[in-house]
Amino acid sequence: MTEKTTGHTRRTILKMGVAATTLPLFNINHAWSQDVAFDGKVFDAGGAVLRVGEWGGPWGELVNKYLLTDFQKEFNCKIEYDSTWPWFPKFVAGGAEKPPLDITNWNLPEMFKTAKAGDFFLKLDELLPNVPNAKNLWPFATANGVGVTWAFNQYGYAYRTDLVSPPPSSFKDLWKPEFAGKRGTYITSNTLQMDFFLVACGIFGKDQYDLDAGYEAMKALMPAKISDFTGNMQTLMDRGEVIVAVLDDAEPMQARDKGAPFAFWYWTEQQPILTQTYTISRYAEPMQKKLAFALLDRALDPTFIGNMGKEFYLRPTVSNAVLPDNLAKAGVVNSADAIKGFWVPDWNSYLENEDDIVETVNGIFAS
């Protein structure tokens, strides 16, 4: 490539080089470059606005009830709650230095995708010393290397006990002819579908990287009901339009404990989990960053996790959490070995092939 074709002369290139070397001096003096620390004590934020990315619907109502309402009062701040997922387009639109959110709750695939796209998040070695309750985390909570996982659920099949007999006992059972048109999964942007597809690649093919096997499995799954979120899938199951579906264990356990004819079978061949993971934006303003540390610290408090576990059957990632009765009665334990055998897909590989997977699977679902 010549200087003419690039549009730059040797002189302009040298000027660009000088600018690049002087850029860090500006960064050092910028507000978000200031050192910020949080020691666990309540402070007055002077009415500052903290932008929080979280899920909507009943989830958002309970996060506000159990966490955000009291937090705003104690720290004299205002929460700007954004539930219009997905987050990735919002982050990349403005670039790393103009984050749309200060603290964000993610599922792993989109979080990894965003982390690969730029320097958006504080590194864990910068974050964890400023979150006192992080000392109680089980090691797997930070094993992803990007954010702090504070809770999780496990995947499997939810089914109607009054309409499904015998119950599922293997991953391949969803493909049984009697479930045609009454089985359910999700759009390709939903993490449940991503995990389901990758497990199918391994069960029907050689391993999670055998995409062709996964495509053939999705073709064989049709006809099926394709939902956007788990809440809609639960509605379809309530109406009997879907009688067996890909789900995490939260909604069917809730329904079962309220007397509905629901049960849950955990996949045994592979055991992925649905995680809730917080990140803090590297270039958040100093007060917002300090508030984000404080909010994450409160999210790791056993009281909040216990309340969310009671409502959403979430499993905790902190060692000092006491399980609510609904989880304890279901046989859930809170220990370092509680996630033994759980499987996390190679999300970097998935993201490298995401365009092909999304285009192909969307074509299958639309046919």
Side-chain angles (χ1 to χ4, degrees):
M1 183 175 291
T2 67
E3 289 181 355
K4 183 175 182 180
T5 57
T6 61
H8 299 304
T9 66
R10 189 179 303 276
R11 182 174 298 175
T12 59
I13 290 173
L14 288 173
K15 287 182 178 179
M16 290 168 62
V18 171
T21 60
T22 59
L23 183 59
L25 296 177
F26 168 75
N27 290 351
I28 288 171
N29 294 319
H30 197 281
W32 38 243
S33 68
Q34 299 174 18
D35 288 336
V36 177
F38 176 66
D39 60 5
K41 298 177 182 177
V42 175
F43 60 88
D44 187 341
V49 175
L50 180 67
R51 300 167 301 170
V52 178
E54 264 287 7
W55 316 126
W59 178 284
E61 294 171 8
L62 292 174
V63 169
N64 274 283
K65 175 182 177 180
Y66 291 127
L67 180 63
L68 301 182
T69 299
D70 288 342
F71 184 86
Q72 291 179 95
K73 294 176 183 177
E74 291 181 42
F75 288 86
N76 185 23
C77 67
K78 180 180 178 181
I79 300 295
E80 187 176 283
Y81 194 101
D82 187 347
S83 62
T84 54
W85 177 87
W87 317 130
F88 173 77
K90 299 183 180 186
F91 274 86
V92 297
E97 295 178 8
K98 295 181 180 179
L101 301 165
D102 302 307
I103 181 170
T104 313
N105 192 30
W106 306 80
N107 297 145
L108 291 182
E110 194 188 21
M111 182 186 76
F112 282 127
K113 183 177 181 179
T114 308
K116 286 169 67 72
D119 187 24
F120 291 101
F121 309 132
L122 275 180
K123 300 293 188 289
L124 290 177
D125 60 357
E126 301 171 90
L127 185 157
L128 294 174
N130 292 292
V131 181
N133 282 326
K135 67 181 182 295
N136 300 312
L137 287 166
W138 294 119
F140 81 90
T142 54
N144 63 75
V146 177
V148 177
T149 295
W150 60 276
F152 65 97
N153 291 100
Q154 192 173 346
Y155 287 116
Y157 293 141
Y159 62 96
R160 288 280 300 261
T161 56
D162 56 338
L163 300 174
V164 175
S165 182
S169 59
S170 78
F171 182 82
K172 290 185 176 181
D173 280 356
L174 191 65
W175 281 258
K176 285 183 174 181
E178 58 263 38
F179 298 146
K182 292 188 175 182
R183 51 193 164 216
T185 186
Y186 302 89
I187 58 177
T188 52
S189 59
N190 190 304
T191 305
L192 281 86
Q193 168 59 26
M194 297 179 193
D195 277 277
F196 174 61
F197 174 77
L198 291 174
V199 174
C201 290
I203 299 300
F204 288 93
K206 299 186 295 293
D207 51 35
Q208 65 178 305
Y209 308 105
D210 193 345
L211 301 183
D212 288 337
Y215 297 147
E216 291 302 314
M218 295 302 104
K219 290 178 184 177
L221 189 71
M222 297 298 102
K225 294 289 196 307
I226 310 300
S227 181
D228 50 0
F229 291 107
T230 57
N232 181 60
M233 185 66 75
Q234 185 76 19
T235 299
L236 294 174
M237 294 191 71
D238 288 338
R239 297 200 296 246
E241 295 179 38
V242 171
I243 61 176
V244 59
V246 177
L247 261 177
D248 64 87
D249 54 11
E251 286 92 341
M253 289 170 71
Q254 286 176 306
R256 178 199 63 197
D257 287 353
K258 292 177 181 178
F262 283 74
F264 194 81
W265 179 78
Y266 293 97
W267 299 338
T268 55
E269 299 90 338
Q270 292 280 14
Q271 298 179 55
I273 57 176
L274 176 64
T275 66
Q276 306 297 329
T277 303
Y278 276 124
T279 60
I280 293 176
S281 294
R282 169 173 292 282
Y283 297 107
E285 297 294 322
M287 180 58 74
Q288 280 69 26
K289 194 177 295 182
K290 188 173 183 179
L291 282 168
F293 287 146
L295 186 62
L296 177 54
D297 193 59
R298 289 296 177 89
L300 297 180
D301 185 276
T303 301
F304 172 66
I305 295 181
N307 282 327
M308 293 299 284
K310 177 182 64 178
E311 301 281 1
F312 284 106
Y313 291 67
L314 288 163
R315 305 183 193 189
T317 63
V318 291
S319 59
N320 56 338
V322 177
L323 294 176
D325 289 343
N326 57 335
L327 290 178
K329 290 177 181 178
V332 175
V333 296
N334 182 28
S335 72
D337 294 330
I339 55 99
K340 191 174 183 179
F342 288 173
W343 175 72
V344 176
D346 181 350
W347 288 118
N348 285 324
S349 175
Y350 178 92
L351 293 172
E352 289 172 2
N353 294 281
E354 183 178 30
D355 290 345
D356 182 62
I357 294 170
V358 169
E359 181 179 357
T360 305
V361 175
N362 280 345
I364 293 169
F365 286 171
S367 62

